Amino acid sequence: MSTTPTRRQALLGAAAATTALATPSLLRAQSARPPAQAPVQRNVSSFRTQYWQDHFDTLGVATIVADTQSRALHYWNADASDYRVFPTSIPISEDLTKRGYTEIVRKKVGPDWTPTPSQVERNPELRYMPPGPDNPLGTHAMYLSWPAYLIHGTHDTRKIGRPSSDGCIGLYNEMIAQLFAITPVGTQVRII
């Protein structure tokens, strides 16, 4: 007894499959699908190489480009002999994302944290927090010339690579310690 289909069975099967694909209900179902949306890009797949020359005329004392699309911070020292890339967290929404040119105006090991008025409005339970393991600024903070915007560490490692901040750029504590050590006050910063 043969299990190989006869020529007639094969032709009938192919005809049935073709008919099923061309039925009006199937065509209507296909046309009723919502238009394809752009895929959500994750940190690795959306990574873009940055060149300081695309953002600044000179390197100055040092240069940082924080790319909110790639969720990466690019650092160059004054002579471009030291280039580093760090994974970051980014703001949770577009309206909290500030883009443009700024600079590092102050640095602090063991920063304390005070919630902004808009943070308290969203969550009235937020209160001042001294340095320590629960502090949302982590172990180091570099303050930008924009009020309430920082590049800082985080104790919550789940935030890195995700939209999770209220405007700041966050790094793993080990990485902010590295960046902090090599970044002088006056470093030019561009957030894109």
Side-chain angles (χ1 to χ4, degrees), residues 20-86:
L21 289 175
T23 59
S25 62
L26 183 58
L27 293 175
R28 277 194 304 277
Q30 288 176 344
S31 66
R33 287 185 192 157
Q37 295 179 354
V40 174
Q41 293 186 332
R42 304 291 182 223
N43 198 18
V44 174
S45 64
S46 66
F47 182 79
R48 293 180 295 173
T49 302
Q50 295 294 330
Y51 302 95
W52 68 266
Q53 299 91 333
D54 294 338
H55 306 283
F56 297 97
D57 293 330
T58 68
L59 281 166
V61 296
T63 295
I64 289 175
V65 174
D67 184 346
T68 59
Q69 281 295 145
S70 289
R71 300 172 189 173
L73 182 144
H74 302 260
Y75 166 87
W76 296 266
N77 68 348
D79 65 3
S81 62
D82 189 3
Y83 168 68
R84 302 183 194 196
V85 179
F86 300 94

Side-chain angles (χ1 to χ4, degrees), residues 80-95:
S81 62
D82 189 3
Y83 168 68
R84 302 183 194 196
V85 179
F86 300 94
T88 67
S89 65
I90 59 169
I92 56 175
S93 67
E94 195 57 39
D95 50 315

Side-chain angles (χ1 to χ4, degrees), residues 69-173:
Q69 281 295 145
S70 289
R71 300 172 189 173
L73 182 144
H74 302 260
Y75 166 87
W76 296 266
N77 68 348
D79 65 3
S81 62
D82 189 3
Y83 168 68
R84 302 183 194 196
V85 179
F86 300 94
T88 67
S89 65
I90 59 169
I92 56 175
S93 67
E94 195 57 39
D95 50 315
L96 291 173
T97 304
K98 187 162 184 162
R99 291 184 178 87
Y101 293 91
T102 183
E103 67 179 298
I104 306 290
V105 294
R106 179 167 70 98
K107 297 170 34 172
K108 183 163 177 132
V109 176
D112 58 348
W113 177 75
T114 302
T116 65
S118 64
Q119 288 171 319
V120 172
E121 186 178 311
R122 287 191 308 274
N123 184 353
E125 296 177 15
L126 292 177
R127 299 282 182 262
Y128 166 83
M129 197 169 294
D134 295 327
N135 187 306
L137 299 183
T139 60
H140 297 74
M142 298 189 298
Y143 298 79
L144 303 176
S145 62
W146 300 330
Y149 284 88
L150 294 78
I151 297 171
H152 63 80
T154 181
H155 298 291
D156 188 350
T157 58
R158 298 170 298 170
K159 291 183 172 188
I160 304 304
R162 299 172 185 231
S164 59
S165 79
D166 281 309
C168 296
I169 303 296
L171 283 78
Y172 292 114
N173 277 331

